[in-house]
Amino acid sequence: MDKKKRVFSGIQPTNVPTIGNYLGAMRNWVTMQDESECLYCVVDLHGITIRHDPEEFRRKTRTLYAILLSCGLTPEKSVVYLQSHVSGHSELAWLLGCYTMFGELSRMTQFKDKSAKHPDNINSGLFTYPVLMAADILLFDTNEVPVGQDQKQHVELARNIAERFNHIYGDVLVVPEPVIPAVGAKINSLIEPSRKMDKSDPNPGAFISLTDDRDTVLKKFKKAVTDSDPSIRFDPENKPGVSNLMTIYSLATGKSLAQTEAEFEGRGYGVFKPAVGEAVDAMLAPIRDKTNMYLGDIAQLESMMRLGAERASAMSEPVLRRIRGAIGFVQAGD
């Protein structure tokens, strides 16, 4: 029997994920766990490059972990854990930082974007966090990394670091491949459909959070930007708002874009936008209910976190020993 591919992906606990995160990535994670050996991580270490309130950060971290479980990631099929609970992430980030070039990090698009957004806090963590992201991936001999198009650059950096390390020390690190969904990889803002939907958008009407209640979901879709042409057809260049809503509806219902076009032909936005809202609410309702259930029993939730961290640590230790050995460290037990 062929060995299952190992998959790793992570998400920051900065805000509640949006339907863009879910449809573009998280829902695919659930499918992947049936066919691959999967690790899914709340990357809380990445979340502290910007200033934050500790209690709020703790609450968001627990909520995100509960959401991951509620979306269908199960301990029976996947390793679901918090990044800060597995010390190998931080250790490997330092080791790999010594094999990462300054020029590589200075070209990272997100460093430039986040520096512009937080000019009063351009800290070294903001600059070096792509190395931590590479460590996240390489710590587990990861074969595939499901990412959105905007994160592909970081997986490419992980590949470059692994190949450089292997060139020096031999075949030590597995070189990962990015996996980008062919459909729905990018869900755009409801207010500015030329931009990606962002859970940190200052305008809450621009995104749908996975914990938004029914009334909020319907109101946001009712106000979603379309255009003056009432026809409902998929044309991203000329009708970006409508095309974005069609993509969301298609992914929420399982209907093709052609079927969606046919369903709403001649019916106008007054029918179409509420229908998208209803479809999204139907998709989110079970996730909301399960999230509330998990958050109602913090002791059980933290027990599941510990189990995930124990499993992730056990999987990472052989990789770390191999890396330390290659570099030349004297290891306990040698």
Side-chain angles (χ1 to χ4, degrees):
M1 182 182 293
D2 291 339
K3 183 180 177 182
K4 283 187 173 182
K5 290 181 178 178
R6 186 169 286 180
V7 172
F8 175 90
S9 197
I11 185 168
Q12 285 195 44
T14 45
N15 283 300
V16 173
T18 70
I19 58 168
N21 302 123
Y22 178 66
L23 294 173
M26 295 164 68
R27 190 162 71 169
N28 294 319
W29 295 357
V30 177
T31 302
M32 285 182 171
Q33 71 180 349
D34 290 325
E35 55 199 37
S36 303
E37 186 179 21
C38 296
L39 297 102
Y40 296 116
C41 180
V42 177
V43 288
D44 48 351
L45 295 176
H46 286 287
I48 64 169
T49 58
I50 58 175
R51 296 292 172 254
H52 63 279
D53 175 79
E55 282 303 317
E56 181 74 2
F57 186 70
R58 195 172 288 116
R59 183 189 66 78
K60 287 179 177 179
T61 300
R62 289 194 183 109
T63 298
L64 179 54
Y65 189 84
I67 287 172
L68 293 181
L69 299 177
S70 301
C71 287
L73 300 180
T74 67
E76 293 78 21
K77 295 181 178 180
S78 299
V79 180
V80 188
Y81 70 102
L82 303 189
Q83 183 187 32
S84 62
H85 289 182
V86 177
S87 60
H89 287 274
S90 300
E91 178 184 349
L92 187 55
W94 169 254
L95 298 179
L96 296 183
C98 298
Y99 300 88
T100 307
M101 300 299 106
F102 181 90
E104 290 176 310
L105 295 179
S106 66
R107 291 192 292 273
M108 292 289 107
T109 303
Q110 288 203 0
F111 171 69
K112 298 173 185 176
D113 293 344
K114 289 192 175 184
S115 297
K117 288 181 181 178
H118 305 280
D120 58 337
N121 183 31
I122 305 176
N123 56 74
S124 63
L126 194 62
F127 186 70
T128 61
Y129 85 95
V131 183
L132 177 57
M133 188 176 292
D136 299 338
I137 297 166
L138 299 176
L139 183 60
F140 298 104
D141 285 342
T142 301
N143 304 112
E144 295 183 346
V145 187
V147 289
Q149 185 66 43
D150 61 324
Q151 291 293 331
K152 185 180 178 183
Q153 185 184 39
H154 292 120
V155 182
E156 292 298 335
L157 177 65
R159 288 173 55 84
N160 292 344
I161 295 170
E163 288 168 350
R164 182 178 298 124
F165 194 94
N166 288 347
H167 181 73
I168 298 170
Y169 297 112
D171 190 16
V172 178
L173 296 174
V174 172
V175 181
E177 295 285 346
V179 177
I180 301 172
V183 179
K186 186 178 180 184
I187 302 298
N188 289 339
S189 163
L190 300 182
I191 302 302
E192 297 181 61
S194 61
R195 294 193 301 109
K196 180 185 174 183
M197 185 177 285
D198 183 354
K199 62 183 178 178
S200 300
D201 196 307
N203 183 348
F207 58 87
I208 304 291
S209 294
L210 296 189
T211 54
D212 278 348
D213 61 35
R214 174 180 170 79
D215 287 346
T216 301
V217 170
L218 297 182
K219 285 176 182 176
K220 287 183 179 181
F221 276 108
K222 186 177 180 180
K223 295 179 179 179
V225 168
T226 49
D227 54 60
S228 58
D229 173 6
S231 64
I232 296 164
R233 68 178 190 278
F234 191 73
D235 183 352
E237 184 176 345
N238 297 307
K239 296 175 71 67
V242 175
S243 299
N244 187 42
L245 294 179
M246 287 182 67
T247 297
I248 294 170
Y249 184 78
S250 174
L251 291 169
T253 61
K255 297 177 181 178
S256 68
L257 292 170
Q259 288 173 321
T260 301
E261 251 181 53
E263 180 179 352
F264 294 101
E265 184 177 2
R267 300 180 70 186
Y269 301 144
V271 174
F272 176 56
K273 292 202 288 186
V276 180
E278 292 284 358
V280 169
D281 180 66
M283 177 181 72
L284 295 185
I287 297 173
R288 284 195 304 257
D289 292 344
K290 289 180 182 177
T291 299
N292 290 333
M293 177 192 72
Y294 283 118
L295 292 175
D297 189 347
I298 296 299
Q300 181 199 20
L301 191 69
E302 293 185 346
S303 175
M304 297 174 77
M305 290 177 181
R306 285 192 294 274
L307 175 62
E310 288 169 4
R311 293 174 65 194
S313 294
M315 294 169 72
S316 70
E317 187 55 31
V319 182
L320 282 170
R321 286 191 66 83
R322 193 170 72 233
I323 294 168
R324 294 186 201 114
I327 293 172
F329 287 111
V330 176
Q331 301 189 74
D334 282 357

